[in-house]
Amino acid sequence: MANPTSALSIRGLYVDRGAQPILHGLNLQLTGGRLAVLGRNGAGKSTLCLAIMGMLPVRSGSITLDGVELAGKPPHDIAAAGITLVPQGRRVFPSLTVDEHLRLMEGRRPGPWNAARVYRELPRLAERKTNYGNQLSGGEKQMLALGRALMTNPRLIVLDEPSEGLSPLIVEHLLQLIAECHREGTSILLVEQNMRAGLTAAAEVALMSGGVVSHTVSSETLQSDENLQHQYLGIATH
Ligand SMILES: Nc1ncnc2c1ncn2[C@@H]1O[C@H](COP(=O)(O)OP(=O)(O)O)[C@@H](O)[C@H]1O
Ligand SMILES: [Mg+2]
């Protein structure tokens, strides 16, 4: 049986980049195990992801995982609490092999994921085991970024625009694997500009613009409301 998923609660989050305020009192609740965050370019989605991971300082506000306060903690403490980030642009090391990327993450937290399982679920990575990061296609890099994240046996996985630049077939495969993780009890925060990927991944969608979450709606509501799509995703309505 699946474990219960972890709850992420963010309240009144203010984050700056340099001297510029970017997040302005953002609130977000992930209680059902899966939430998509959708918003246009520049809405502050990546800033949110980096702040959750402790990679940008929090000016004020609260970020809790299962009630434990994480705001202000360094990234290694947040990783130890069970949060992992699949960053935008994959961030694969050019001069490490696929296998070295996975082994780097080995043994961080106990759980069902290890290199053998990553290779079983993502067989393309097994074929590319000894290839270097700079020899991989975009899809392979994204598989590696996800596989590396799963190696940490996260309680919450934060994915920043995983579908960016990938073919629909590869996106589908990755979303299936993410759904499997959710069934096993991992919470999922999926950040996207791509509405289709967001809707496939979660029943609930937080719509972000100007550094705040303005609305949280069901995926059905977003799918049927062209005004919301236009306002938050810039999808043409005609
Ligand atoms: N390193 C940075 N320094 C200063 N401002 C930044 C930096 N990175 C992003 N920003 C600004 O922060 C805002 C939000 O960016 P970001 O969080 O990347 O949005 P999104 O991921 O939704 O596209 C944008 O206005 C962007 O110009
Ligand atoms: Mg971004």
Side-chain angles (χ1 to χ4, degrees), residues 17 20 22 40-47 88:
R17 298 191 83 154
Q20 199 183 351
I22 304 294
R40 295 180 196 225
N41 197 20
K45 303 182 300 298
S46 293
T47 302
Q88 186 167 15

Side-chain angles (χ1 to χ4, degrees), residues 114-169:
N114 51 37
R117 181 163 177 207
V118 170
Y119 287 133
R120 199 163 62 242
E121 304 268 7
L122 295 163
R124 187 79 191 131
L125 289 184
E127 292 167 23
R128 304 293 255 149
K129 200 168 174 171
T130 58
N131 282 107
Y132 290 95
N134 63 4
Q135 297 173 313
L136 304 178
S137 71
E140 290 164 349
K141 281 183 185 157
Q142 191 64 65
M143 288 177 200
L144 179 55
L146 179 59
R148 170 176 68 179
L150 293 174
M151 288 287 291
T152 68
N153 286 297
R155 286 161 67 193
L156 166 66
I157 185 163
V158 179
L159 299 118
D160 192 355
E161 296 208 35
S163 79
E164 198 176 24
L166 302 186
S167 72
L169 213 62

Side-chain angles (χ1 to χ4, degrees), residues 163 166-179 197 200:
S163 79
L166 302 186
S167 72
L169 213 62
I170 293 177
V171 172
E172 165 113 352
H173 182 193
L174 294 173
L175 289 176
Q176 278 174 9
L177 188 51
I178 292 164
T200 310

Side-chain angles (χ1 to χ4, degrees), residues 62 130 223:
S62 164
T130 58
Q223 200 148 25

Side-chain angles (χ1 to χ4, degrees), residues 3-176:
N3 304 312
T5 52
S6 290
L8 176 75
S9 175
I10 301 181
R11 295 202 185 274
L13 186 67
Y14 286 82
V15 174
D16 306 333
R17 298 191 83 154
Q20 199 183 351
I22 304 294
L23 301 185
H24 308 276
L26 179 142
N27 297 304
L28 179 150
Q29 305 296 323
L30 189 172
T31 47
R34 273 196 286 192
L35 179 70
V37 176
L38 293 178
R40 295 180 196 225
N41 197 20
K45 303 182 300 298
S46 293
T47 302
L48 171 64
C49 294
L50 293 169
I52 291 171
M53 211 55 226
M55 296 163 84
L56 282 175
V58 170
R59 171 149 51 90
S60 66
S62 164
I63 303 173
T64 62
L65 186 70
D66 294 332
V68 176
E69 185 59 61
L70 297 174
K73 297 235 172 104
H76 63 265
D77 283 0
I78 292 170
I83 303 183
T84 193
L85 171 65
V86 179
Q88 186 167 15
R90 350 303 189 194
R91 299 283 181 265
V92 160
F93 296 107
S95 57
L96 287 185
T97 66
V98 165
D99 201 51
E100 285 165 346
H101 277 90
L102 297 185
R103 303 292 168 190
L104 266 183
M105 295 294 159
E106 212 151 41
R108 301 268 171 129
R109 290 168 49 86
W113 286 95
N114 51 37
R117 181 163 177 207
V118 170
Y119 287 133
R120 199 163 62 242
E121 304 268 7
L122 295 163
R124 187 79 191 131
L125 289 184
E127 292 167 23
R128 304 293 255 149
K129 200 168 174 171
T130 58
N131 282 107
Y132 290 95
N134 63 4
Q135 297 173 313
L136 304 178
S137 71
E140 290 164 349
K141 281 183 185 157
Q142 191 64 65
M143 288 177 200
L144 179 55
L146 179 59
R148 170 176 68 179
L150 293 174
M151 288 287 291
T152 68
N153 286 297
R155 286 161 67 193
L156 166 66
I157 185 163
V158 179
L159 299 118
D160 192 355
E161 296 208 35
S163 79
E164 198 176 24
L166 302 186
S167 72
L169 213 62
I170 293 177
V171 172
E172 165 113 352
H173 182 193
L174 294 173
L175 289 176
Q176 278 174 9

